[in-house]
Amino acid sequence: MDNRFGEMQIFLAVAQGGSFAKAATALRLTPSAVSRAMARLEGRLGVQLVSRTTRALALTAEGEVYRARVAGLVAEIDEVERGFGSEAEAPRGPLRINASVPFGTQCLLPILPRFQHAYPAVTINLALSDTLVDLVEERADLAIRIGPLRDTGLKAKKLGRSRMAVVASPGYLQDRGVPMHPRDLAGHDCLQFSFRRSIDTWPFRGDGAVVQRPIEPAFLGNSGEVVRMMAVAGGGIARLGRFHVAADLAAGRLVEILGPFNPGDHEDIHALYVGHRRLASRIRAFLDFLDAQLVLPGAD
């Protein structure tokens, strides 16, 4: 293992203290360890850096030149490491976040200015996509995932959960009628997701059990936001998380239907991040911020 930096530190401590014993005390080493390190350094450089007598130790001319050159280098490396250490007190640097389009627009963006105000030295880089991304490959610090988690080896922090709802616009229901039973969906335009992990059935409660009803979509969208907007526009019936449609329900743009048949299922929402023994303070600060500030409409 290359230990040149450690040998440079020992040399500078010897030069400053004027003896191997004082350098050993300052660095919490034994005098013999200091002596061996100096011997290795001089042997590698091929010059004598210190002249030793029984009463004193002094730098040679080569030692003076070496000290002048390495002192700045060691100081610079120390400053770099202090910068990372001080991040624990003042989070800084880029914070790359990946989230789904619905969660990002409905839940994250409204509160992110508060985080920016609290941590002005952190630069947020937010990417919204309903496609699952690899955190390591995309160099993301943190991702928000909705629904079941895959075994990825990532650390997961649960942020909450949101109930599901079947919804449609008042205009659509006026034109096509209100389905009173899940079987009535066969005569309606249902809106579904086009990504691979989507499920072609919707669960409904009936006769004391939950039944998966197959859905024949009249429209496919590649994100939850696309499906929501199509429902608001009167394009059909959708099944979405309440956190996603809470504002539309409150404003009357969407209406919940088939409520008596709702099975009461939820979507869990997690923050995922690569687990390290010492988590960067900007990531820890954001996780703590979500704990304190995140509000999930329709959550339990």
Side-chain angles (χ1 to χ4, degrees):
M1 182 180 295
D2 190 341
N3 195 31
R4 284 181 291 180
F5 179 67
E7 291 171 355
M8 290 178 188
Q9 289 179 305
I10 290 173
F11 166 76
L12 291 175
V14 169
Q16 182 176 359
S19 74
F20 286 2
K22 289 182 179 178
T25 300
L27 298 174
R28 298 183 179 180
L29 299 172
T30 63
S32 61
V34 171
S35 178
R36 287 194 300 270
M38 287 297 300
R40 286 194 304 270
L41 178 59
E42 290 179 325
R44 188 176 66 253
L45 296 177
V47 296
Q48 185 178 356
L49 299 176
V50 295
S51 61
R52 297 175 287 276
T53 68
T54 56
R55 305 180 63 181
L57 181 150
L59 296 183
T60 64
E62 291 80 7
E64 293 286 0
V65 172
Y66 187 73
R67 179 172 64 173
R69 291 188 176 182
V70 302
L73 177 61
V74 171
E76 186 174 346
I77 293 174
D78 285 341
E79 182 156 347
V80 168
E81 294 195 347
R82 279 197 303 272
F84 280 102
S86 64
E87 189 189 354
E89 300 176 4
R92 59 171 54 84
L95 178 63
R96 300 175 181 87
I97 304 168
N98 177 272
S100 69
V101 177
F103 187 87
T105 55
Q106 300 295 321
C107 301
L108 270 188
L109 286 172
I111 64 174
L112 281 185
R114 299 177 213 164
F115 184 82
Q116 289 180 303
H117 179 74
Y119 301 100
V122 176
T123 302
I124 295 174
N125 185 339
L126 175 64
L128 299 183
S129 171
D130 283 356
T131 301
L132 294 180
V133 302
D134 186 303
L135 264 69
V136 176
E137 196 172 291
E138 297 294 325
R139 298 180 62 196
D141 295 305
L142 182 144
I144 309 297
R145 293 283 183 264
I146 300 173
L149 295 178
R150 297 184 300 173
D151 184 12
T152 60
L154 299 172
K155 297 290 186 180
K157 178 181 179 63
K158 188 173 180 178
L159 302 177
R161 60 182 188 170
S162 180
R163 289 179 285 128
M164 304 295 292
V166 179
V167 297
S169 72
Y172 174 88
L173 296 174
Q174 183 176 352
D175 291 342
R176 301 289 299 273
V178 179
M180 304 305 295
H181 190 278
R183 61 175 172 265
D184 297 336
L185 293 174
H188 283 270
D189 294 336
C190 293
L191 313 178
Q192 188 60 293
F193 304 108
S194 61
F195 39 77
R196 287 185 300 172
R197 67 183 188 278
S198 65
I199 301 173
D200 295 329
T201 61
W202 290 354
F204 292 100
R205 182 173 297 281
D207 299 326
V210 175
V211 178
Q212 296 289 336
R213 177 164 291 276
I215 297 298
E216 291 292 336
F219 173 87
L220 295 168
N222 69 345
S223 78
E225 184 64 5
V226 169
V227 172
R228 182 196 73 83
M229 293 176 68
M230 187 65 173
V232 170
I237 298 172
R239 188 172 190 269
L240 297 165
R242 277 186 171 274
F243 81 88
H244 192 186
V245 297
D248 296 317
L249 292 172
R253 293 185 292 269
L254 291 175
V255 177
E256 183 174 3
I257 59 174
L258 299 174
F261 302 94
N262 191 318
D265 57 328
H266 300 78
E267 287 187 317
D268 288 335
I269 302 175
H270 291 87
L272 302 183
Y273 54 95
V274 179
H276 291 296
R277 186 171 60 86
R278 296 185 63 182
L279 191 64
S281 63
R282 64 186 183 279
I283 301 175
R284 173 57 57 197
F286 190 71
L287 291 171
D288 292 342
F289 171 81
L290 291 178
D291 258 345
Q293 299 291 331
L294 183 64
V295 177
L296 297 172
D300 289 344

